[in-house]
Amino acid sequence: WLILRAPWPRSGPLLWQVLAQTLILYIVVLVPLLWAGHRLARPLRTLEQSTRQFRPGAATPLLEERGPGDVRALISAFNAMRLRVNAMVVEKDRMLGAIGHDLRTPLAALRVRIESVEDEEDRARMADIIGEMNRTLEDILSLARLGRPSEAPVETDMSALVDAVVEDFRDLDHDVTFEEAPRLTMRVRPALMRRAVRNLIENAVKYAGSA
């Protein structure tokens, strides 16, 4: 038989040794990994912020392409997409300006021509229609360019507005009738509301024959 006797180490120094080794392992391995992950994630965070703040047509500098290869490719694709979107917005504004100019010219010519109409009531009716077309054109251009209509909401009698639209359809010999209704005042944009009512009546006449 071989008998060995040796003192068993105390729990205190052994525990501190394990803690020290673990701390050294964290410092040597985990800290560099965290630093590398932070460096890799920074370009993605910048890209995420730029994506959230992107507004079509806004003049903002392109993002710097940095980070790993796939991240640089993603940033490059985002920059190219932003340039294409801004170019489309500029082209849209240019096209809208040309359309507005082309439509204003014949409307102005019509406004001059109606002065030769002898019937004063018909002349006033034509002038109102041309004025409404001009306002509609301005609203369309403003909505397309600014994202909001140029007309301000005002107190409007909806019954009178609908009745006026119905009269326009009656003048064109459409089967449209208006039932007298009590005065109903609402705060709306009259030109846009008139267009909405006209579209509803046009659809009713087109698909049902009458309204």
Side-chain angles (χ1 to χ4, degrees), residues 37-95:
H38 180 75
R39 288 289 302 272
L40 294 176
R42 185 182 303 171
L44 290 177
R45 286 197 301 270
T46 304
L47 177 61
E48 185 264 343
Q49 294 174 0
S50 298
T51 304
R52 290 182 180 275
Q53 298 172 359
F54 173 66
R55 297 292 181 271
T60 54
L62 298 178
L63 291 180
E64 180 184 358
E65 298 179 12
R66 59 179 182 176
D70 52 350
V71 176
R72 290 198 304 270
L74 179 61
I75 295 175
S76 177
F78 173 76
N79 288 334
M81 181 203 68
R82 189 164 61 176
L83 291 176
R84 289 196 301 270
V85 171
N86 288 337
M88 291 174 59
V89 171
V90 172
E91 183 65 23
K92 181 207 68 172
D93 291 341
R94 187 181 297 113
M95 180 188 67

Side-chain angles (χ1 to χ4, degrees), residues 167-186:
E167 286 297 327
D168 293 338
F169 281 91
R170 285 177 179 171
D171 292 340
L172 299 175
D173 294 330
H174 291 299
D175 187 8
V176 181
T177 57
F178 175 72
E179 297 182 0
E180 294 296 331
R183 179 181 176 87
L184 176 61
T185 303
M186 298 179 64

Side-chain angles (χ1 to χ4, degrees), residues 4 10 12 50 56 63-64 67 69 74 76-78 80 96 121 129 136 145 158 163 170 175 182 184-185 194 197 207:
L4 298 178
R10 295 177 179 270
S50 298
L63 291 180
E64 180 184 358
L74 179 61
S76 177
F78 173 76
L96 289 175
E121 183 177 354
I129 293 175
T136 301
R145 288 176 176 171
M158 292 297 299
D163 191 13
R170 285 177 179 171
D175 187 8
L184 176 61
T185 303
R194 191 177 293 108
V197 174
Y207 297 106

Side-chain angles (χ1 to χ4, degrees), residues 1-5:
W1 295 91
L2 179 63
I3 299 175
L4 298 178
R5 293 183 179 180

Side-chain angles (χ1 to χ4, degrees), residues 125-140:
R125 195 79 172 272
M126 293 177 182
D128 290 340
I129 293 175
I130 293 176
E132 181 182 350
M133 293 176 65
N134 278 316
R135 290 191 296 271
T136 301
L137 177 61
E138 292 295 335
D139 281 334
I140 292 175

Side-chain angles (χ1 to χ4, degrees), residues 28-40:
V28 173
V29 178
L30 186 60
V31 172
L33 286 178
L34 291 176
W35 178 79
H38 180 75
R39 288 289 302 272
L40 294 176

